[in-house]
Amino acid sequence: GTGRNAGTILRTASGLVRPMQNSLHHYGEGIRLMLVKRLDPQGFEEVPLTEPMIYSDVVEAMSPHHVAFGGDVLCWDVRDRAR
């Protein structure tokens, strides 16, 4: 239910921030922003991001499936069901 990338990894003042799929109840449910604490040949560690960043408002308001940022463009998509 978690772990899969959900967008562009950004370098911030706090470090690398990775959008992660949050699909505990169903696929595409939302995104959690994770702060990478360790990334080297011997290991990987990340923790939930607690500070606001460029993705934060979109993630909180829209529950996107994917979010990406490049240059001055922020893009996201939202999962929905057609009936």
Side-chain angles (χ1 to χ4, degrees):
T2 60
R4 181 174 179 235
N5 284 344
T8 307
I9 295 173
L10 290 180
R11 183 177 304 276
T12 70
S14 298
L16 296 176
V17 175
R18 182 178 79 92
M20 177 187 78
Q21 287 280 327
N22 183 22
S23 300
L24 295 175
H25 301 102
H26 57 81
Y27 177 75
E29 181 177 351
I31 289 176
R32 289 181 67 195
L33 299 175
M34 305 300 287
L35 179 64
V36 177
K37 301 296 279 181
R38 179 178 180 188
L39 177 61
D40 59 47
Q42 286 73 43
F44 173 76
E45 179 186 355
E46 63 185 359
V47 296
L49 182 70
T50 57
E51 62 195 57
M53 62 163 290
I54 193 162
Y55 290 161
S56 300
D57 290 342
V58 171
V59 168
E60 290 297 318
M62 306 291 284
S63 296
H65 167 262
H66 186 93
V67 63
F69 182 73
D72 60 353
V73 178
L74 176 63
C75 302
W76 65 91
D77 68 344
V78 178
R79 180 183 182 267
D80 200 0
R81 292 184 183 257
R83 294 176 192 212

